[in-house]
Amino acid sequence: MYRSTLMHTPGNPFLTPGAMQVEEDGALLVTDGVIAASGPYHTLRGSYPEVPAVDLRGGVLLPGFVDTHVHYPQVRVLGALGMPLLDWLDHNTLPEEGRLADASYARTVAHEFLHGLTANGTTTALVFGSHFAPAMDEFFGAAQASGLRIIAGQVVSDRLLRPELHTTPEQAYAEGRGLIGRWHGQGRLRYAVTPRFSLSASEGLLEACAALLALAPDLALTSHINENSREIDVVRNLFAGARDYLDTYERAGLVTSRSVLAHNVHPSDRELEVMAGCGCAVAHCPCSNSALGSGLFPLRRHLQAGVQVALGTDVGAGSGFSMLKEGLQASFVQQVLGEQGVTLGAAHLLYLATRAGAEALGVEAITGDFTPGKAFDAVYLRPDDAGTLGTVVRHAESPERVLSALFTLGSQADVARVWVAGDEVYAAPGRPRFNPVWT
Ligand SMILES: Nc1nc2[nH]cnc2c(=O)[nH]1
Ligand SMILES: [Zn+2]
């Protein structure tokens, strides 16, 4: 049993006011990694007098974060500011992605990347992989050892990047099939078919991706869409017969309820309608959109069309692995949009960072909130008493204000412990260990 302040969003606060549930002195009973009961601590204590409680008072226990868009080979190139997308790819990012041809280099990067996720409280992620199959074997091996829930795949491209990053439709299919056979469905791992974006993918390569997607019903598909105006112009010229950017994927059969497309900063109404109809989700990456000057995300139009939206950090165009920071930036972007924006309160941010991500990835029956029956995937945030966040939290007048302070001021430094399916996958170094106590 875990005793803490609990906050989670089993409902959707965009549809239902009051969708966030808070238990100021709450408890979760966890059996074999699954939440068996939840409620006020004293109620659970009465029902389960013999069960020891881990005392996590003084902080807040949230569902583990779900990052729906983050690039494994880009951890070392975080922090290059001031470039638009295509320059940033050419000058900053693709040279580094080429270095993952060396499997031992890739192994080190995989560990650095996975540590970034766990240390920030992310327990589930849809990960854009490397162009190299051996680098993906290294990654999946490390991901399996990390205990995280990871959906990832080899990135494929056959034009306009750098020659060493190009494949062919035949090679992409053969390597993807091998990786799916070795890793898809192993423990907490799943495979995502991953064409980089239509700009770097011929129609033949997109068809090879569709053939991979047909290999199993629970494979995912992820790519980029409508991120930057210059990128959109290039795609328009490359696919003369396509109605719009989405159509380049649609014609290949890649737009389904298993698809998660990142960015969509500049969608047409038709694209939003098709995405909503198919149940294709959008990974909104506000830090990346701001850093690359891609634009201000039209959240209101997505919500009105009924498109599922979740959050992604988009490391390395974004600003790090913190889903708290991503939530804050999402809120800032909507504020900057003025009347066209959607005011995002703490409950919206928590939903976008947890349950919405689980829905986008089709894993909401397993993770994303603390309803009994879900896995115990959780992050324990314990601000330092001496810091500004500690001061604000101590004086906050409501749990909602505590949560918005966590999004505003919280960081990796406040992540004390992280669990996936009841397994502790991270404990902050130098923090006191919380031993089970009888209370
Ligand atoms: N932000 C971002 N957009 C992309 N579009 C194609 N590749 C990338 C990438 O690595 N990052
Ligand atoms: Zn990306």
Side-chain angles (χ1 to χ4, degrees):
M1 189 187 300
Y2 297 85
R3 178 181 190 180
S4 188
T5 297
L6 309 175
M7 301 188 195
H8 69 139
T9 48
N12 179 344
F14 291 103
L15 303 175
T16 323
M20 181 165 80
Q21 292 184 7
V22 178
E23 208 62 75
E24 286 198 64
D25 184 11
L28 295 175
L29 179 71
V30 176
T31 313
D32 297 331
V34 174
I35 298 168
S38 74
Y41 172 71
H42 289 289
T43 308
L44 260 71
R45 173 53 59 233
S47 306
Y48 305 95
E50 304 297 310
V51 179
V54 181
D55 190 350
L56 301 174
R57 283 174 293 176
V60 178
L61 196 61
L62 302 178
F65 298 127
V66 180
D67 188 340
T68 62
H69 187 73
V70 57
H71 293 250
Y72 138 53
Q74 297 179 8
V75 61
R76 294 188 182 190
V77 296
L78 273 160
L81 299 174
M83 283 177 266
L85 172 67
L86 299 180
D87 294 343
W88 176 85
L89 283 171
D90 285 346
H91 301 304
N92 181 64
T93 306
L94 299 181
E96 168 70 2
E97 296 213 14
R99 289 180 201 117
L100 276 81
D102 174 348
S104 74
Y105 186 89
R107 184 181 318 142
T108 313
V109 171
H111 285 285
E112 292 165 350
F113 173 84
L114 291 160
H115 176 75
L117 291 178
T118 49
N120 281 277
T122 295
T123 52
T124 300
L126 175 56
V127 177
F128 237 78
S130 164
H131 288 269
F132 303 103
M136 289 313 295
D137 281 314
E138 295 293 346
F139 177 72
F140 279 120
Q144 191 162 48
S146 77
L148 296 175
R149 299 185 195 280
I150 296 290
I151 308 172
Q154 179 184 19
V155 179
V156 294
S157 289
D158 62 352
R159 65 182 176 198
L160 295 176
L161 297 182
R162 300 161 71 86
E164 68 268 29
L165 300 180
H166 294 162
T167 184
T168 61
E170 296 72 26
Q171 187 186 347
Y173 180 79
E175 290 181 344
R177 196 184 166 114
L179 285 163
I180 289 166
R182 290 194 288 286
W183 299 107
H184 180 61
Q186 298 294 320
R188 297 173 191 153
L189 306 179
R190 273 173 52 198
Y191 196 84
V193 178
T194 311
R196 187 165 196 129
F197 56 164
S198 291
L199 186 148
S200 67
S202 68
E203 286 177 47
L205 189 67
L206 295 176
E207 280 162 23
C209 289
L212 286 174
L213 199 58
L215 290 175
D218 53 350
L219 289 164
L221 179 290
T222 191
S223 193
H224 296 96
I225 192 167
N226 287 325
E227 180 175 4
N228 164 287
S229 330
R230 234 181 90 206
E231 167 215 12
I232 296 168
D233 283 344
V234 177
V235 169
R236 188 178 296 120
N237 290 328
L238 287 168
F239 290 82
R243 287 168 286 186
D244 44 41
Y245 203 139
L246 185 70
D247 200 27
T248 64
Y249 299 128
E250 225 179 313
R251 293 189 309 176
L254 301 180
V255 181
T256 75
S257 59
R258 300 191 260 160
S259 314
V260 179
L261 298 176
H263 305 304
N264 212 29
V265 180
H266 309 284
S268 67
D269 289 342
R270 192 202 80 86
E271 290 172 304
L272 290 173
E273 195 181 313
V274 172
M275 290 172 119
C278 295
C280 158
V282 167
H284 170 37
C285 309
C287 288
S288 163
N289 296 163
S290 301
L292 298 177
S294 302
L296 301 171
F297 182 71
L299 177 60
R300 181 179 296 286
R301 288 179 59 216
H302 282 76
L303 295 176
Q304 279 172 347
V307 179
Q308 276 184 28
V309 176
L311 285 180
T313 59
D314 198 21
V315 164
S319 58
F321 290 94
S322 175
M323 290 291 285
L324 295 171
K325 200 198 307 184
E326 212 58 50
L328 178 67
Q329 188 67 18
S331 146
F332 285 172
V333 165
Q334 295 307 308
Q335 291 301 106
V336 169
L337 277 166
E339 288 187 356
Q340 288 164 32
V342 180
T343 302
L344 297 176
H348 298 109
L349 301 186
L350 181 60
Y351 171 75
L352 286 169
T354 58
R355 166 93 200 186
E359 289 171 4
L361 305 183
V363 293
E364 74 276 12
I366 301 169
T367 190
D369 66 74
F370 288 149
T371 311
K374 303 280 167 82
F376 180 59
D377 292 1
V379 50
Y380 177 56
L381 299 172
R382 176 66 174 94
D384 185 344
D385 290 334
T388 309
L389 178 56
T391 303
V392 177
V393 165
R394 270 198 308 286
H395 297 284
E397 70 227 12
S398 68
E400 286 74 15
R401 281 290 286 109
V402 169
L403 188 58
S404 59
L406 289 170
F407 275 102
T408 306
L409 291 156
S411 73
Q412 179 173 326
D414 304 298
V415 174
R417 297 177 73 179
V418 183
W419 298 263
V420 177
D423 299 334
E424 188 174 80
V425 297
Y426 177 77
R431 293 297 190 106
R433 299 288 297 208
F434 300 84
N435 295 318
V437 288
W438 295 85
T439 42

